[in-house]
Amino acid sequence: MKHVLYSVIALSILVFSGCKNEEKKVEKPLGTQVAKPNVLFILADDYGYHDLSFTGSKFYETPNIDRIAKEGMAFTNGYAASRVCSPSRASIMLGTFTARHGITDWIGAKAGTEWRKTGRFNKLLPADYEHKLPAEVVTLPEAMKAAGYKTFFAGKWHLGEKGSWPEDHGFDINIGGWDAGSPKGGYFSPYDNPNLENRKDGENLSMRLAEETVTFLKENDPNKTGKPVFAYLSFYAVHGPIQTTKKKWAKYRKKAVGNGVADSGYKMAKYLPIRQVQDNPVYAGLVETMDDAVGKVLNTLDSLGLDKNTLVVFTSDNGGVSAGDSFSTSNLPLRGGKGYQFEGGIREPYFIKAPWLLKGGASTSEPVTGADLYPTILDVVGVDLKPEQHLDGKSLLPILKGGHMEERALFWHYPHYGNQGGEPSSIIRKGDWKLIHYYEDGREELYNLKNDLQELSDVASENQDLTKRLSEQLFAYLDDVGARYPEKDPDYAPKKEEAYLKKIEEVKMPALEKQRRDFLSADFDPKDNWWGSNLTKD
């Protein structure tokens, strides 16, 4: 009887002790490594630094993307590895700058003598470039898969034809990723995509990609499987053609009119008109839908209890489209946009959320690029780095832990003419200094970004020694990695180029101003009937 009594007392003590311990349970302190963190990587397309509320837009509304920044760290000097898409995307996959991996233009762009077929009549013939990811290298998803992660890709790929699709480079699942860089068929089903099944007419593409990501997370819930996941949500948004629903267009038309519509929306740059205002209600609706899609995925992390154990990365592959393509947005006060050598072409929203490492609301001004994300993700989740692969990228874990990194040089190489008006050039940024070398005439511009973020004051002539040192460092790197350079076109005809540019100014500019007014007109109706998207309830 005594034995039974003692057992009851001991059991009571254990139960009481357990309850007491439960009451005292606290979350692990910041900096404590959690077991096998998951990764959600969200990549937007053509999404500019100022295309969201968090970075100062008074027009676009992006509460869900803002949430990532507010709950994590914002890199105010975060850069894409290129001013156009494929090179930037390759740098994320490989951890190297574009001159090293050789994909220096969007895959499909004309190079060499083929460039003449564009009718641009330029001084140079653009350099050739690689047209797919190299099969022999270890990509980021391959590294994650080898570390025991279930890997998933949804959305835009644009890193090679069949045989060089996501499933060929480390992703267990590929939904929607193939050759094309734009949303063939538009943003409402039926899509023209061999890797994305049409389910219902009018379905929204961004929401569909989010839903596919949600399904993957639920079916592979690490809390049930014990296997961590690496989910890569790569939106086609906000690439042209820009489309939205009638409801969202009406919302942003009202907002634009309420803000006061400027008499003129464009000014002429060297090759094309460039947008000066954020008042495009079609584009704004496209942005908001992408943000809605981001919210759907973040809410799923919350509901599955994965939010505290998931590294979330959000960035873009190049600057907002202010010229060329759909002339969608303004990146001011940053100069230029997609395709340009200026900050508007390469500076991006760049947010990292790792709840076990840092509190929300953190920010840093240290310059970082898309090439850094490969080693950073490996380092944050506790996978051994691959220094023989990510030769240019550096782990940002020290910054996420509240520290700093040694000053280094960042390099961009674009020996091409962009569809948006940028010039063949290469860039080095070191500290506050940014040097741009132009291949048409060999001139070099030097900007102090701390004092002149808008890049309005070229100070190369006042800093000749610094300009020379940076130029030498730039070309030492480019030559070391075997960079390709453009060549002079022996058939260049200055008068033909002059006539081409005159037509742009006299015909294209007025057409763009008319289109801008049409988008803001109360009776605007899209020619290809986006309002058909009302068939869905997304």
Side-chain angles (χ1 to χ4, degrees):
M1 186 70 184
K2 280 185 178 180
H3 177 72
V4 173
L5 180 61
Y6 291 153
S7 297
V8 171
I9 293 171
L11 180 60
S12 299
I13 291 172
L14 284 173
V15 171
F16 176 76
S17 175
C19 292
K20 191 172 182 181
N21 287 339
E22 185 66 29
E23 290 172 3
K24 288 185 176 180
K25 185 177 180 180
V26 295
E27 292 188 4
K28 293 181 179 180
L30 290 176
T32 303
Q33 178 66 52
V34 294
K36 293 185 178 180
N38 306 295
V39 179
L40 171 63
F41 193 117
I42 304 174
L43 182 63
D45 192 23
D46 294 355
Y47 194 50
Y49 183 83
H50 289 293
D51 276 359
L52 63 164
S53 314
F54 181 80
T55 52
S57 176
K58 303 299 182 185
F59 188 53
Y60 309 124
E61 298 177 16
T62 54
N64 296 298
I65 299 172
D66 293 350
R67 175 188 165 190
I68 301 172
K70 292 175 181 177
E71 294 180 355
M73 177 173 281
F75 292 77
T76 59
N77 279 283
Y79 289 97
S82 176
R83 64 186 82 171
V84 295
C85 57
S86 297
S88 289
R89 292 165 181 269
S91 289
I92 292 170
M93 289 290 133
L94 303 174
T96 55
F97 295 145
T98 60
R100 188 186 296 274
H101 61 63
I103 303 176
T104 52
D105 206 355
W106 60 274
I107 296 175
K110 296 185 183 301
T113 55
E114 285 292 300
W115 180 251
R116 293 175 184 151
K117 295 180 181 179
T118 64
R120 294 273 299 274
F121 310 106
N122 299 121
K123 293 180 180 179
L124 302 176
L125 296 174
D128 200 3
Y129 59 93
E130 298 299 318
H131 287 245
K132 63 180 181 179
L133 281 180
E136 67 276 9
V137 302
V138 179
T139 63
L140 171 59
E142 286 173 334
M144 297 298 284
K145 186 173 181 178
Y149 280 74
K150 180 77 172 182
T151 57
F152 167 88
F153 182 91
K156 173 174 172 173
W157 180 243
H158 205 187
L159 287 172
E161 298 178 347
K162 191 171 184 178
S164 186
W165 283 354
E167 60 266 39
D168 303 303
H169 293 284
F171 286 105
D172 295 314
I173 300 170
N174 168 32
I175 296 176
W178 68 304
D179 313 15
S182 61
K184 301 292 185 182
Y187 283 97
F188 299 102
S189 182
Y191 316 115
D192 182 9
N193 186 320
N195 293 325
L196 186 64
E197 180 184 358
N198 292 301
R199 299 192 304 197
K200 54 183 177 180
D201 287 351
E203 176 188 60
N204 180 269
L205 177 58
S206 296
M207 295 305 293
R208 168 68 179 278
L209 296 176
E211 288 168 3
E212 294 285 359
T213 306
V214 166
T215 298
F216 168 77
L217 292 172
K218 289 181 176 179
E219 292 180 350
N220 297 275
D221 183 350
N223 291 329
K224 296 179 179 179
T225 67
K227 187 181 180 73
V229 296
F230 175 69
Y232 197 102
L233 173 54
S234 177
F235 287 108
Y236 281 93
V238 289
H239 193 290
I242 58 172
Q243 298 172 340
T244 190
T245 63
K246 188 172 186 178
K247 183 178 179 180
K248 289 192 186 297
W249 163 81
K251 170 184 175 178
Y252 285 101
R253 176 193 171 272
K254 181 179 180 181
K255 190 171 184 178
V257 172
N259 289 341
V261 178
D263 293 336
S264 174
Y266 294 89
K267 75 174 184 179
M268 190 67 191
K270 182 173 181 178
Y271 294 117
L272 283 172
I274 188 163
R275 194 177 184 96
Q276 302 296 294
V277 290
Q278 292 185 345
D279 66 357
N280 186 330
V282 179
Y283 180 73
L286 179 60
V287 167
E288 186 179 279
T289 299
M290 179 178 69
D291 185 77
D292 292 341
V294 169
K296 179 179 280 286
V297 180
L298 295 180
N299 290 339
T300 299
L301 290 180
D302 295 343
S303 65
L304 294 176
L306 300 175
D307 53 310
K308 297 293 191 296
N309 192 35
T310 298
L311 171 69
V312 180
V313 177
F314 179 90
T315 192
S316 175
D317 61 354
N318 50 249
V321 182
S322 56
D325 301 347
S326 296
F327 294 84
S328 307
T329 190
S330 169
N331 298 293
L332 294 175
L334 300 183
R335 185 176 176 184
K338 177 183 178 180
Y340 281 83
Q341 60 274 15
F342 302 113
E343 293 294 283
I346 54 177
R347 191 178 291 225
E348 310 302 328
Y350 195 118
F351 310 136
I352 297 178
K353 175 187 173 184
W356 64 95
L357 280 180
L358 66 149
K359 294 181 179 179
S363 68
T364 177
S365 61
E366 295 201 36
V368 300
T369 82
D372 296 327
L373 293 169
Y374 186 149
T376 298
I377 290 172
L378 296 187
D379 214 5
V380 170
V381 303
V383 175
D384 290 340
L385 297 182
K386 296 184 176 297
E388 74 286 355
Q389 174 54 52
H390 43 76
L391 293 168
D392 297 311
K394 302 296 181 185
S395 171
L396 305 180
L397 184 57
I399 299 177
L400 294 171
K401 287 183 173 181
H404 299 278
M405 295 172 59
E406 291 184 8
E407 184 178 271
R408 57 179 170 146
L410 305 179
F411 301 97
W412 292 263
H413 183 56
Y414 191 72
H416 315 281
Y417 291 98
N419 292 338
Q420 303 79 22
E423 301 175 60
S425 53
S426 294
I427 304 166
I428 177 173
R429 173 168 179 177
K430 192 170 186 181
D432 294 327
W433 296 99
K434 176 181 176 181
L435 179 134
I436 307 173
H437 177 91
Y438 293 87
Y439 290 106
E440 278 197 344
D441 54 13
R443 77 185 188 281
E444 292 179 330
E445 295 173 350
L446 181 68
Y447 298 100
N448 184 306
L449 296 178
K450 183 177 181 180
N451 301 328
D452 180 25
L453 184 59
Q454 294 177 283
E455 297 171 282
L456 300 178
S457 300
D458 172 17
V459 293
S461 60
E462 300 101 288
N463 298 273
Q464 294 183 23
D465 289 344
L466 176 60
T467 298
K468 183 174 184 293
R469 289 198 304 273
L470 289 174
S471 181
E472 289 174 348
Q473 186 174 1
L474 171 62
F475 281 96
Y477 173 81
L478 293 178
D479 291 341
D480 182 60
V481 299
R484 301 171 185 175
Y485 301 103
E487 298 178 355
K488 291 184 177 180
D489 186 352
D491 293 345
Y492 172 62
K495 290 185 177 179
K496 289 184 178 181
E497 184 178 30
E498 183 180 338
Y500 167 81
L501 294 175
K502 184 177 181 181
K503 186 176 180 180
I504 291 292
E505 188 166 6
E506 294 179 352
V507 178
K508 185 68 173 179
M509 176 83 89
L512 286 169
E513 291 288 8
K514 181 181 182 304
Q515 182 192 60
R516 174 173 167 263
R517 291 191 298 272
D518 288 345
F519 282 176
L520 291 168
S521 170
D523 58 358
F524 169 71
D525 189 38
K527 294 179 180 178
D528 44 359
N529 195 27
W530 313 327
W531 303 156
S533 62
N534 287 337
L535 293 172
T536 183
K537 294 182 179 180
D538 287 340

